[in-house]
Amino acid sequence: MRFRHPDGTTVHLSYCTNVHPAEHLDGVLAQLRDHCEPVRKLLGRDRLGIGLWLAKDAARALITDPAQLRGLRAELDRRGLEVVTLNGFPYEGFGAEEVKYRVYKPDWADPERLAHTSDLARLLAALLPDDVTEGSVSTLPLAWRTSFDEAAARTAHTALTTLAERLDGLEELTGKSIRIALEPEPGCTVETTADAIRPLTEIASHRIGICVDTCHLATSFEDPATALDALEAAHIPIPKAQLSAALHAEHPHLPEVREALGAFAEPRFLHQTRTRTAAGLRGTDDLAEALAGDTLPDGAPWRSHFHVPLHAPPAPPLTSTLHVLQDTLTRLVGGAEPRTRHLEVETYTWQALPPELRPRSRGRLAVGIAAELTLARDLLVDLGLKELP
């Protein structure tokens, strides 16, 4: 979906396909048929943007076979779909029964992360619509925090610098400008936007910036104004923002609140949980750990890294951080000029919701995704952007 900002800039809105597990190219093509095109039709649009997730094997198949890449581009066109951004964070296995810490491998100290991300940039340059010259790829925020020492940090810095050089060459070759966006996430080496400033300043390339994920921002209790102002002061670009909402518990000391939270403590994804104390931010790596005894102080609200549907916050006594998304979006695209041009709805946890909240069919999932995109569209229109055909 495309929108015209009052300054004349085109802002793209998409939804991320990592909600649909697919490790291989045939699965990606099936996603387009079974999920993406039905969402487009529900929205009544001739064109729908998708934030494509290409796992290792799917990306490698496209890189090694130009005919398959042309076929994917043709299939996108045939189904009224377009791609301006890729989700390059998960490498493989995102549809596995247990993902947890696996999603952070390989990290930026591993040569395979550089190779995979370079492939994704090349693929995106080929998949961009003819009238679009700018693409974005979100990626792992360096590494999970453990076992990432100074030597690993130096290796990661070198890898990202090499990537920036490759992206310069790619633009010279194709005329397409691809930018990479580190996505801060709780528990990672780069957990917050503030953590991103030093490594990105040291790289000092307009090719490498930050992906602001509003669920992650909220989980770490970051103030949107403070975070975005600091990025602007440091001249850190924002190639992409992910529109998502975290799980919020206002009174985690109450038994009924803990019971409600327990329904979201599931075995597939990691749900980092945070709270603010007088001594600073405290947290656990997973929601189940937070609920176990007195591991996490419960005198103040908890937030958990669980991407809840934007249009359907959980029932009381829980809620979502949709207000953080709204505040962030206003600051990103509600000003005189947009601070990012790529927006992506990224609720990948539909099938990880408590059983009674999960969509029971492809059709119900499509309805939910369409409802999220409708909410995002309405927010953009309210900020003065005009939806384009």
Side-chain angles (χ1 to χ4, degrees):
M1 300 167 73
R2 299 187 185 190
F3 296 81
R4 183 75 69 203
H5 189 274
D7 78 338
T9 303
T10 298
V11 174
H12 295 265
L13 172 66
S14 60
Y15 94 88
C16 186
T17 64
N18 64 355
V19 63
H20 312 303
E23 298 292 318
H24 305 285
L25 185 55
D26 58 351
V28 173
L29 296 173
Q31 287 177 354
L32 306 184
R33 179 193 67 224
D34 297 337
H35 299 287
C36 303
E37 187 177 18
V39 169
R40 177 183 65 75
K41 290 180 176 179
L42 282 171
L43 291 168
R45 308 303 298 162
D46 293 333
R47 173 173 53 192
L48 175 68
I50 58 172
L52 201 59
W53 173 56
L54 296 172
K56 173 197 67 171
D57 289 343
R60 180 49 48 182
L62 292 167
I63 282 289
T64 56
D65 188 345
Q68 294 204 71
L69 179 55
R70 290 193 297 271
L72 174 58
R73 173 67 185 266
E75 189 71 0
L76 288 165
D77 292 342
R78 188 168 75 86
R79 298 195 181 278
L81 306 170
E82 66 177 15
V83 176
V84 302
T85 187
L86 299 181
N87 189 326
F89 195 133
Y91 177 71
E92 63 182 341
F94 203 62
E97 290 185 6
E98 182 177 332
V99 178
K100 299 290 184 180
Y101 296 95
R102 292 172 52 189
V103 75
Y104 306 107
K105 293 293 186 178
D107 63 31
W108 274 101
D110 186 328
E112 184 52 38
R113 177 60 69 171
L114 172 59
H116 179 61
T117 310
S118 299
D119 285 348
L120 293 180
R122 290 170 56 194
L123 293 173
L124 181 56
L127 293 173
L128 285 176
D130 292 338
D131 62 343
V132 174
T133 59
E134 183 180 282
S136 61
V137 181
S138 50
T139 188
L140 177 77
L142 299 186
W144 185 251
R145 68 183 185 279
T146 56
S147 303
F148 193 76
D149 56 18
E150 284 300 319
R154 288 192 296 271
T155 301
H157 178 276
T158 300
L160 286 167
T161 301
T162 299
L163 178 63
E165 295 169 352
R166 291 178 181 178
L167 297 176
D168 286 341
L170 184 64
E171 183 170 12
E172 290 181 9
L173 182 66
T174 66
K176 305 292 187 178
S177 175
I178 307 299
R179 297 193 295 170
I180 306 301
L182 302 185
E183 182 185 331
E185 177 166 314
C188 291
T189 300
V190 174
E191 171 157 343
T192 66
T193 54
D195 294 334
I197 290 175
R198 179 181 173 184
L200 291 177
T201 301
E202 290 175 348
I203 294 167
S205 170
H206 72 284
R207 299 285 182 190
I208 314 291
I210 192 170
C211 172
V212 176
D213 183 300
T214 57
C215 171
H216 302 173
L217 191 81
T219 301
S220 295
F221 287 88
E222 288 197 79
D223 173 63
T226 303
L228 296 179
D229 287 351
L231 292 175
E232 185 172 29
H235 305 290
I236 304 297
I238 307 173
K240 174 178 181 178
Q242 287 175 326
L243 308 183
S244 53
L247 186 64
H248 180 95
E250 186 69 18
H251 302 292
H253 65 286
L254 296 176
E256 60 269 28
V257 175
R258 288 192 170 237
E259 181 180 0
L261 284 170
F264 288 84
E266 53 84 38
R268 186 172 175 186
F269 299 111
L270 205 60
H271 301 296
Q272 303 93 313
T273 303
R274 299 289 185 266
T275 188
R276 286 185 292 191
T277 71
L281 202 64
R282 291 278 303 277
T284 59
D285 283 354
D286 214 348
L287 179 56
E289 181 185 353
L291 291 169
D294 57 358
T295 305
L296 195 64
D298 60 7
W302 285 4
R303 289 178 179 172
S304 189
H305 173 216
F306 195 119
H307 290 220
V308 296
L310 302 186
H311 68 293
L318 304 178
T319 187
S320 80
T321 60
L322 181 63
H323 65 286
V324 177
L325 183 160
Q326 293 172 304
D327 187 3
T328 307
L329 187 63
T330 298
R331 297 175 188 280
L332 285 172
V333 301
E337 58 185 33
R339 297 166 75 171
T340 188
R341 290 179 290 276
H342 293 173
L343 304 171
E344 178 183 74
V345 172
E346 197 215 9
T347 305
Y348 59 83
T349 44
W350 283 94
Q351 298 305 331
L353 290 167
E356 68 275 12
L357 301 179
R358 296 173 192 170
R360 300 292 183 180
S361 65
R362 288 177 185 169
R364 296 309 303 169
L365 177 58
V367 167
I369 293 170
E372 289 193 291
L373 286 167
T374 297
L375 182 148
R377 177 185 64 193
D378 291 347
L379 291 177
L380 291 172
V381 171
D382 289 345
L383 289 172
L385 282 74
K386 178 181 179 181
E387 187 175 6
L388 299 175

